[in-house]
Amino acid sequence: MFIADEDLIKQGKVTDVYFERAIEVIEAKNLDKTVKAEISVKGLPKDYSWAVFCGLQEVLELLEDRDVNVRAIPEGSIFKENEPVIEIEGKYSTFAVLETAILGFLCQESGVATKAARVRKAAKDKTVLSFGARRMHPAVAIAIERAAYIGGCDGFSTVAAAEKLGLKASGTMPHSLVLLVGDTLEAAKYFDEVVDIDVPRIVLIDTFGDEKFETIRVAEALKKRLAGVRLDTPSSRRGNMKKILEELRWELDVRDLKHIQLFVSGGLDENSVAELVDVADGFGVGTSISSATTIDFSLDIVEIEGKPIAKKGKNSGSKSLLKCDKCFRSKIVPFTTQSEECECGGTMEDALEYYIRNGKLIRDFEDVSTIRNRCLRELRHV
């Protein structure tokens, strides 16, 4: 399989070749110097005014035991254009060949977390599940599901991610089960008979017949045991999904089956979720999250041997990202250890905290739920 394993990444083999050539020159001409390099985003994707910072833990695992200092904003934080999210200090040769991997972690995972967060906001308090791992290389499935969860998804479908993160995988039933059984109601009954009672009975109702009549059949048979139905209707047959959901809700309610929830999946993004949020109880969102537009971070030297210097178009010098603990307003200033009072009355302190000093990790990794809660808390302010 075409997979770069953890050892290859840590050895710096997943690097752009020009870094190896640069190091060759630096070593031959004795040019190595202590630098501060800053990671930030010059421009977010179109129509984005903020993004979710994700991928920090893997960056720290990559840099740990190398002679560097690392400051970073906490994972799950909301950030904006030009705000520094990580600063690395050390001899340039110590981390140069790791730049490709560092940016790879951050760009893809922050992109996934950001798209998930946008869907989360559109879905309001309704359930959102990540169903998109199948659209990406399986080697990165766990990273995708973790990022989606951090961004606000309530769960995800991949078993390996659930085991790695200590969470439960979520899902209903595939069309293949219904096809093999030959009837939606019989498949629902078999599922109810066989699958652990702790798994909610959510039945896929669009394999053969009309969504309305299949729903009524299944609902009247399973009654209180049926938690919900899922519509994954193909685009060629979808019609007006909102009208279909409204019709289903009516038919269930008049039969005193108000407990049965309506879930939608297939081709969803934040815009289609916003259109359906008033009539659907939950969403399975796949490709738009897992193949989200990347957040284009760059890593730039901003200081050499203690002197501010940067390429044109980039502000030189070490910086602080002052962030209010109350309203989460932020601003960039030259590095400082001083806090400021915010306009809202809160306190603005540097969001960039030390995570590695002299190659040693000085903070414990946070569990994924803590990171997710930070993201959800800050999302209320954007």
Side-chain angles (χ1 to χ4, degrees):
M1 296 182 184
F2 301 108
I3 299 172
D5 61 23
E6 188 172 322
D7 287 339
L8 277 177
I9 296 171
K10 287 187 172 181
Q11 291 167 17
K13 296 299 184 181
V14 183
T15 189
D16 296 301
V17 70
Y18 72 172
F19 289 119
E20 289 190 339
R21 293 167 181 165
I23 293 300
E24 186 178 354
V25 174
I26 288 168
E27 290 178 347
K29 298 299 183 179
N30 195 29
L31 298 174
D32 205 11
K33 297 176 183 179
T34 298
V35 305
K36 286 186 178 179
E38 175 184 290
I39 297 175
S40 62
V41 170
K42 293 178 182 177
L44 292 170
K46 184 180 179 181
D47 299 326
Y48 285 29
S49 60
W50 51 267
V52 178
F53 180 56
C54 192
L56 175 62
Q57 180 171 328
E58 286 162 298
V59 172
L60 296 175
E61 290 177 0
L62 187 59
L63 292 171
E64 188 179 9
D65 296 327
R66 292 178 178 259
D67 190 15
V68 295
N69 298 321
V70 179
R71 297 165 62 223
I73 65 174
E75 195 164 15
S77 298
I78 304 296
F79 69 94
K80 299 177 182 178
E81 291 180 359
N82 298 313
E83 293 184 346
V85 297
I86 295 180
E87 181 187 81
I88 304 170
E89 178 184 15
K91 291 288 188 182
Y92 181 66
S93 63
T94 307
F95 63 89
V97 296
L98 301 179
E99 179 175 332
T100 306
I102 289 170
L103 295 179
F105 288 139
L106 299 176
C107 291
Q108 183 174 29
E109 292 176 46
S110 294
V112 170
T114 301
K115 177 62 83 168
R118 290 170 65 88
V119 173
R120 171 75 276 156
K121 287 186 72 69
K124 300 178 182 178
D125 61 346
K126 303 298 179 65
T127 300
V128 178
L129 300 177
S130 170
F131 282 178
R134 65 179 59 193
R135 305 302 182 202
M136 302 301 289
H137 195 295
V140 295
I142 295 174
I144 287 172
E145 301 290 46
R146 178 180 181 271
Y149 184 71
I150 286 171
C153 286
D154 297 290
F156 45 77
S157 62
T158 309
V159 174
E163 293 175 352
K164 179 73 171 181
L165 302 176
L167 300 167
K168 289 185 177 181
S170 299
T172 56
M173 61 172 60
H175 286 103
S176 57
L177 175 62
V178 183
L179 288 166
L180 287 168
V181 174
D183 178 75
T184 301
L185 177 55
E186 288 303 305
K189 289 179 177 178
Y190 292 165
F191 188 95
D192 186 41
E193 291 172 8
V194 174
V195 177
D196 192 289
I197 194 63
D198 291 336
V199 176
R201 272 54 179 155
I202 301 175
V203 176
L204 187 62
I205 49 83
D206 61 0
T207 305
F208 292 118
D210 180 83
E211 291 88 350
K212 170 180 172 177
F213 296 107
E214 292 283 61
T215 295
I216 293 171
R217 288 180 69 217
V218 173
E220 290 185 334
L222 269 62
K223 297 188 183 300
K224 292 295 182 182
R225 298 196 306 282
L226 183 64
V229 295
R230 176 167 71 94
L231 290 77
D232 193 51
T233 309
S235 57
S236 63
R237 305 292 180 86
R238 183 160 289 210
N240 189 322
M241 180 56 74
K242 187 170 185 178
K243 291 294 185 183
I244 294 172
L245 290 168
E246 289 173 343
E247 188 175 343
L248 292 185
R249 184 74 275 155
W250 175 274
E251 296 297 337
L252 291 169
D253 289 354
V254 297
R255 289 168 173 77
D256 197 27
L257 296 169
K258 297 180 180 180
H259 70 283
I260 297 174
Q261 294 187 308
L262 304 177
F263 295 88
V264 185
S265 60
L268 299 175
D269 61 12
E270 64 267 47
N271 297 317
S272 51
V273 165
E275 293 173 0
L276 302 174
V277 68
D278 294 334
V279 290
D281 298 293
F283 305 92
V285 184
T287 306
S288 69
I289 289 180
S290 63
S291 62
T293 302
T294 58
I295 304 300
D296 287 346
F297 289 102
S298 60
L299 187 152
D300 299 288
I301 290 175
V302 294
E303 193 174 289
I304 298 177
E305 298 291 354
K307 295 181 179 180
I309 186 171
K311 69 181 184 181
K312 64 182 181 181
K314 179 75 180 181
N315 292 336
S316 62
S318 181
K319 302 171 187 69
S320 290
L321 176 62
L322 298 186
K323 199 166 190 177
C324 178
D325 60 358
K326 186 176 179 181
C327 71
F328 295 100
R329 183 182 284 109
S330 60
K331 69 175 183 177
I332 308 164
V333 299
F335 178 75
T336 180
T337 58
Q338 301 298 310
S339 60
E340 292 184 13
E341 184 177 351
C342 182
E343 295 176 9
C344 74
T347 302
M348 300 189 80
E349 295 183 311
D350 195 354
L352 291 156
E353 305 170 347
Y354 276 102
Y355 281 83
I356 293 178
R357 282 189 181 274
N358 302 316
K360 301 301 178 185
L361 193 67
I362 61 172
R363 294 175 182 270
D364 293 333
F365 292 133
E366 295 178 311
D367 68 83
V368 69
S369 295
T370 299
I371 299 170
R372 178 177 185 268
N373 289 336
R374 175 180 294 114
C375 179
L376 294 177
R377 187 170 62 251
E378 296 195 17
L379 276 178
R380 300 190 192 111
H381 298 273
V382 295

